[in-house]
């Protein structure tokens, strides 16, 4: 496939409500979109980096810079997704930028051949159960109202963001109010240290599905220690940036569950490697979320439909984050989202909506 050029487009999407995690509060999503243009088709990719390097070291301006300065110029004249992966391999890090480029090229190629992203990945389900991530709130009553609202919408699983000072009381309150059958898990975004193990063990009686990334991203050994001190299963998010990291975590016993985010691991091909590895080791997977627009959401649904993804993901409906999505909105149906079946990722931005949220565009000839 020959690439004519690539458009970098910055959009600004207001969130329906502020989203607070242990690393900060977001009120709008600053997104970099890639549009790969070929003679036969266009492909889309969404970069999941945040505007500030708070979740990981990547940030949107940095991703745009490395794309225009190094990654896009390294593409061969004729390329497929595996070729992109190979061409980008010499450059260290910048996995979210690489993932966006690989996805856009993959989408263009699949649209040309007429195959869906789900079929390409080896997905088996045609709909996936969805969970929702609930931010840190000002008070427990507000949290209970928010959770009640999401359960009314049909979400199959609730994830509560936690941090020191916002953990035992809110999680206990949610468990007490909504009962033992609620699928409930927590995400600390690296806010604790191993010294907090006795405190985190107080979550044990609450029957959580998992605790996600309790310790720092580079604390793999400490996560293995923590896993022996608490009964809640440990799930890793930030720590897993590649299939090699996943193999190390599994060998160490640092986690029994992995949150897979294609952006964090450098793309869907790497995400598929992690899928195959984890499945072979009986490690459960679920698809994470980075407040994606419909573009990233569509591709994540294809991933979440692979057979190793056995837990509900953070693949929420469009309206969880955005009053108006840039694609046709994804809407819950009995707690599930449908996996797109059209060629490529199966969705495209609505031009008028996209123009309205666009802050800047840049065209790079390849
Ligand atoms: C997580 N996501 O699993 C993340 C982290 C996260 C859905 O909980 C702007 C952009 C704000 C990306 C806040 C969920 C964000 C963000 C949190 C990602 O750890
Ligand atoms: Mg997380």
């Amino acid at each position: 496939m020959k690439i004519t050029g690539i458009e970098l487009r910055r959009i600004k999407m207001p969130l329906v409500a502020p989203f607070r995690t242990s690393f900060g509060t977001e009120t709008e999503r600053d997104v970099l979109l890639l549009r790969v243009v070929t003679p036969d088709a266009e492909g889309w990719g969404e970069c999941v980096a945040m505007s500030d390097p708070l979740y990981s070291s990547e940030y949107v301006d940095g991703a745009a810079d490395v794309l225009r300065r190094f990654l896009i110029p390294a593409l061969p004249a004729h390329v497929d997704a595996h070729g992109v992966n190979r061409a980008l391999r010499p450059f260290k890090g910048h996995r979210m930028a690489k993932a966006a480029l690989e996805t856009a090229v993959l989408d263009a190629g699949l649209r040309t051949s007429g195959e869906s992203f789900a079929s390409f990945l080896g997905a088996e389900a045609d709909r996936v159960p969805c969970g929702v991530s609930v931010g840190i709130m000002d008070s427990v009553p507000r949290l209970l109202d928010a959770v009640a609202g999401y359960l009314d919408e049909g979400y199959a699983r609730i994830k509560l963001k936690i941090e020191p000072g916002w953990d035992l009381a809110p999680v206990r309150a949610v468990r007490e109010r909504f009962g033992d059958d609620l699928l409930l898990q927590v995400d600390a975004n690296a806010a604790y240290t191993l010294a907090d193990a006795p405190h985190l063990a107080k979550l044990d009686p609450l029957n959580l599905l998992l605790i996600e990334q309790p310790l720092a991203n580079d604390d793999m050994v400490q996560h293995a220690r923590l896993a022996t001190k608490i009964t809640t299963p440990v799930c890793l998010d930030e720590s897993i940036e590649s299939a090699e990291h996943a193999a190390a975590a599994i060998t160490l016993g640092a986690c029994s569950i992995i949150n897979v985010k294609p952006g964090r691991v450098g793309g869907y091909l790497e995400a598929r490697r992690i899928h195959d590895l984890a499945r072979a080791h009986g490690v459960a997977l679920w698809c994470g979320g980075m407040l994606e627009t419909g573009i990233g959401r569509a591709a994540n649904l294809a991933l979440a439909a692979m057979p190793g993804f056995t837990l509900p993901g953070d693949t929420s409906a469009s309206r969880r984050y955005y009053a108006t999505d840039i694609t046709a909105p994804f809407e819950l149906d009995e707690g599930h989202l449908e996996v797109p079946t059209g060629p490529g990722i199966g969705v495209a931005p609505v031009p008028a909506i996209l123009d309205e949220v666009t802050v800047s565009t840049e065209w790079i000839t390849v």
Side-chain angles (χ1 to χ4, degrees), residues 19 21 23 26 29 50 55 133 159 161 187 189 212 237-238 259 261 289-291 314 321:
F19 185 47
T21 66
F23 57 76
E26 301 292 308
R29 188 74 174 95
M50 301 175 63
Y55 165 84
S133 177
K159 160 168 139 182
K161 291 292 193 176
D187 185 359
N189 287 110
E212 178 179 348
D237 173 357
E238 285 91 326
N259 165 342
K261 289 175 180 168
M290 290 291 284
L291 284 56
D314 281 344
Y321 295 111

Side-chain angles (χ1 to χ4, degrees), residues 78-265:
H78 292 266
V79 72
D80 63 7
H82 293 275
V84 174
N85 202 268
R86 222 179 1 260
L88 303 185
R89 206 166 296 154
F91 303 103
K92 308 298 184 211
H94 299 285
R95 290 180 170 90
M96 292 174 179
K98 290 174 176 175
L101 182 54
E102 182 196 277
T103 308
V105 172
L106 196 45
D107 185 38
L110 291 170
R111 285 185 203 257
T112 303
S113 65
E115 187 182 10
S116 74
F117 201 59
S119 154
F120 169 81
L121 287 176
E124 291 176 358
D126 51 17
R127 61 205 280 267
V128 297
C130 297
V132 61
S133 177
V134 186
I136 294 165
M137 308 236 161
D138 297 335
S139 71
V140 169
R142 286 223 174 96
L143 175 69
L144 294 176
D145 284 350
V147 171
Y150 290 130
L151 292 176
D152 281 346
E153 289 180 45
Y155 281 103
R157 179 227 72 188
I158 298 291
K159 160 168 139 182
L160 304 180
K161 291 292 193 176
I162 59 168
E163 66 181 3
W166 182 263
D167 44 30
L168 300 181
V171 180
R172 237 180 239 142
V174 168
R175 179 54 92 204
E176 273 165 21
R177 160 89 184 267
F178 300 101
D180 290 336
D181 289 344
L182 174 67
L183 299 183
L184 182 64
Q185 63 192 54
V186 295
D187 185 359
N189 287 110
Y192 297 88
T193 71
L194 189 57
D196 296 312
H199 180 70
L200 294 174
K202 294 183 186 146
L203 292 168
D204 288 351
L206 294 171
N207 273 315
L208 302 179
L209 284 170
L210 57 90
I211 179 168
E212 178 179 348
Q213 197 70 39
L215 314 180
N217 70 306
D218 51 358
D219 272 1
M220 194 93 91
V221 172
Q222 289 91 328
H223 275 103
R225 295 234 170 89
L226 178 67
T228 67
K229 296 177 191 289
I230 62 176
T231 61
T232 306
V234 174
C235 170
L236 289 177
D237 173 357
E238 285 91 326
S239 291
I240 307 296
E241 296 188 335
S242 65
E244 288 73 18
H245 289 184
I250 292 168
T251 302
L252 276 169
C255 67
S256 50
I257 300 168
I258 297 174
N259 165 342
V260 182
K261 289 175 180 168
R264 194 193 66 223
V265 303

Side-chain angles (χ1 to χ4, degrees), residues 10-77:
R10 281 290 272 280
I11 65 173
K12 194 189 277 202
M13 305 266 291
L15 297 174
V16 293
F19 185 47
R20 180 171 160 204
T21 66
S22 63
F23 57 76
T25 305
E26 301 292 308
T27 56
E28 57 182 28
R29 188 74 174 95
D30 170 16
V31 185
L32 173 66
L33 293 177
L34 268 60
R35 182 170 61 98
V36 163
V37 177
T38 78
D40 301 308
E42 287 184 0
W44 290 91
E46 174 170 346
C47 180
V48 300
M50 301 175 63
S51 38
D52 301 344
L54 300 175
Y55 165 84
S56 74
S57 63
E58 288 188 81
Y59 60 101
V60 187
D61 282 333
D65 190 69
V66 77
L67 278 158
R68 74 167 74 84
R69 199 186 288 269
F70 299 106
L71 305 183
I72 292 172
L75 293 182

